[in-house]
């Protein structure tokens, strides 16, 4: 039972693979890949913008802390001038904490600056690759479209395509039907000529004997016409006369002898 299930699964994969190959359009795959790369470029740019924003925020914090440090130093000097050593010590203590924060922030600023530079370089390289892919993509799409058109033209010329195959079958059926009708018409003519079938277009009361006599008379008329034409070609002048009954006339020398 397991072997049968494996065979069914393998057959299903084969069928699905063929269906996907038939439905897959390389141009759509290329456009999809290009769009995914554009999305990646946008993500890198958003990350770069976030890093730059964080670095700028730290710069503003450092500027604010520098101002606070300067203010505390000024306050310490004023406290010493006023004889308040305790206030001067407190101001200097706070200034030391601010200075420590500034040092930490400057380290973060340097790290963010390096990360920003790395992301900027990565974004530039990625954009160059995407631009190169776009050029290559358009070239491949144009080549595929041309090859597809050439294939369709060749299939149409050779009759291999499905549409042309249907047209060819329709023409063959029409030709076969025409030949069948011709054969049927010929068979009916022969049956009418032999009298096996009656011609419905002829007057009523005409029998087959009369039809045969008429055919003999028509044959004599044709022979007389041929004789006349031969006489004209040989330059003998008038064509031989034909009797009313349909038999050739007696030559003049025999008529004189009689």
């Amino acid at each position: 039972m397991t072997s049968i299930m494996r065979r069914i699964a393998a057959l299903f994969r084969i069928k699905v693979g063929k269906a996907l190959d038939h439905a897959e359009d390389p141009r759509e795959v290329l456009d999809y890949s290009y769009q995914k790369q554009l999305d990646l470029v946008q993500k890198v740019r958003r990350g770069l913008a976030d890093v730059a924003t964080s670095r700028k925020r730290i710069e503003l914090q450092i500027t604010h802390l520098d101002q606070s440090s300067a203010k505390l130093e000024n306050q310490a000097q004023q406290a010493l001038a006023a004889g308040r050593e305790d206030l001067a010590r407190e101001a200097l203590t706070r200034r030391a904490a601010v200075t420590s924060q500034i040092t930490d922030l400057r380290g973060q600023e340097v790290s963010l600056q390096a990360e920003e530079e790395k992301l900027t370089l990565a974004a530039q390289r990625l954009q160059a690759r995407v631009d190169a892919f776009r050029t290559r993509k358009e070239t491949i799409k144009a080549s595929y479209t041309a090859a597809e058109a050439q294939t369709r033209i060749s299939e149409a010329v050779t009759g291999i395509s499905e549409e042309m195959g249907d047209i060819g079958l329709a023409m063959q059926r029409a030709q076969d039907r025409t030949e069948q009708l011709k054969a049927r018409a010929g068979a009916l003519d022969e049956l009418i000529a032999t009298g096996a079938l009656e011609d419905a277009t002829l007057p009523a009361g005409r029998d087959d004997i009369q039809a045969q006599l008429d055919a003999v008379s028509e044959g004599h008329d044709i022979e007389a016409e041929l004789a006349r034409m031969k006489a004209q070609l040989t330059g003998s002048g008038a064509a031989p006369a034909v009797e009313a009954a349909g038999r050739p006339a007696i030559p003049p020398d025999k008529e004189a002898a009689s």
Side-chain angles (χ1 to χ4, degrees), residues 135-148:
T135 302
R136 182 61 176 165
K137 171 182 73 74
E138 295 300 328
T139 302
I140 294 175
K141 287 175 60 178
S143 299
Y144 181 85
T145 302
E148 184 182 38

Side-chain angles (χ1 to χ4, degrees), residues 238-249:
V242 179
E243 293 183 352
R247 290 182 289 103

Side-chain angles (χ1 to χ4, degrees), residues 155-169:
E155 288 180 349
V157 172
T158 57
I160 296 178
S161 64
E162 183 177 353
E163 293 82 0
M164 295 303 297
D166 294 339
I167 294 175
L169 290 176

Side-chain angles (χ1 to χ4, degrees), residues 38-51:
L38 288 180
D39 294 341
L40 181 59
V41 171
Q42 292 299 324
K43 288 181 180 180
V44 173
R45 288 178 175 174
R46 284 195 294 269
L48 177 60
D50 292 340
V51 171

Side-chain angles (χ1 to χ4, degrees), residues 195-208:
L197 292 177
E198 294 184 359
D199 189 351
T201 61
L202 296 177
R206 180 171 181 178
D207 54 17
D208 56 340

Side-chain angles (χ1 to χ4, degrees), residues 77 107 193 216 239:
Q77 292 176 354
V216 172

Side-chain angles (χ1 to χ4, degrees), residues 25-39:
D25 189 339
R27 292 166 295 190
E28 295 179 356
V29 175
L30 290 173
D31 289 337
Y32 177 78
S33 300
Y34 177 67
Q35 186 60 47
K36 297 298 290 184
Q37 293 185 36
L38 288 180
D39 294 341

